[in-house]
Amino acid sequence: MAGLVIANWKMHGSLGLIEEFSREWQLLPPLSEVSVVLCPPAPYLGAVSNAFEDVALGAQNCADQVEGAFTGEISVQMLSELGCSYVIIGHSERRALYSETDAQVAVKAALVIAQGLHAVVCVGETLEHRDAGQQDKIVIEQLLGSLAQVPCENLVVAYEPVWAIGTGRTATPAQADAMHGVIRSCLCEHFGEVGAGIPIIYGGSVKPENASVLFECDNIDGSLVGGASLNANSFWQIASAASAGRA
Ligand code: PGA
């Protein structure tokens, strides 16, 4: 499968950044064997959609309802209308700061897939769990809880160990590869043979300097990039490493 590299800008950026990023991006060589997705903050989806031709558009979250009196929420249908083809669901920041549960994540993922978009379901253990050697158990529980009633079409799983997000501390390629293997087995058990084709991407302090070694791992199909995705050149280097890892 081709690599998949997704930029998660979180609550960063501005119209100025989008202009600068797209200007720099257009000067960089085109990429092959890799799908590139930009997930800006929701108010900038239109601007990003207008500024780029060769990247897909994604959102960082969506409502767990189809429509109605839910002030401040954004439905999957609205995201679809704005051109989104991906939605990140259950990022650890949403789980930790906004108390999102596995059950809510599963509802959102099912809505995203029903609308024909790709759901990027995030899972990952805390440092406490890893230090206690419970990472596999925790991630499997989170994954199965987050996939209840979720079909496998258009599903992407992002493994993001919480202790590696924004900390500069990346999981070693061996740690990431091993967990992706655990996730792959779980997906195959849950969905049957088709589980083998679901992309599993890694996130947590991915940078141009560590991207190549991560993408050399058999079980790593791409990455979800936070901080390093705010700079066109850094993000291009990561996407380019993913493309080389697929060649
Ligand atoms: P980071 O964030 O690359 O800044 O660690 C990744 C993420 O939270 O998706």
Side-chain angles (χ1 to χ4, degrees), residues 5-113:
V5 175
I6 304 179
N8 174 13
W9 283 4
K10 309 193 180 187
M11 201 172 73
H12 294 292
S14 60
L15 292 175
L17 176 101
I18 293 165
E19 208 182 300
E20 189 188 318
F21 192 112
S22 74
R23 205 178 326 111
E24 284 175 26
W25 187 259
Q26 272 145 33
L27 297 175
L28 294 161
L31 295 160
S32 60
E33 294 300 314
V34 62
S35 301
V36 177
V37 185
L38 293 184
C39 302
Y44 297 136
L45 286 167
V48 168
S49 165
N50 291 336
F52 296 85
E53 277 174 8
D54 55 344
V55 302
L57 189 65
Q60 299 173 15
N61 183 32
C62 66
D64 60 2
Q65 302 284 340
V66 175
E67 69 171 341
F70 302 104
T71 302
E73 291 294 296
I74 302 172
S75 76
V76 180
Q77 210 217 322
M78 293 166 188
L79 296 174
S80 171
E81 225 179 354
L82 284 173
C84 286
S85 46
Y86 287 79
V87 185
I88 300 170
I89 308 283
H91 188 278
S92 65
E93 285 150 18
R94 300 229 40 103
R95 291 176 183 269
L97 304 173
Y98 303 98
S99 309
E100 259 187 31
T101 62
D102 290 343
Q104 274 175 305
V105 172
V107 168
K108 290 182 179 192
L111 286 172
V112 167
I113 291 174

Side-chain angles (χ1 to χ4, degrees), residues 8 10 91-93 160 164-168 203-207 224-228:
N8 174 13
K10 309 193 180 187
H91 188 278
S92 65
E93 285 150 18
E160 297 206 303
I165 296 177
T167 58
S205 297
V206 176
K207 298 191 169 37
L224 181 52
V225 188

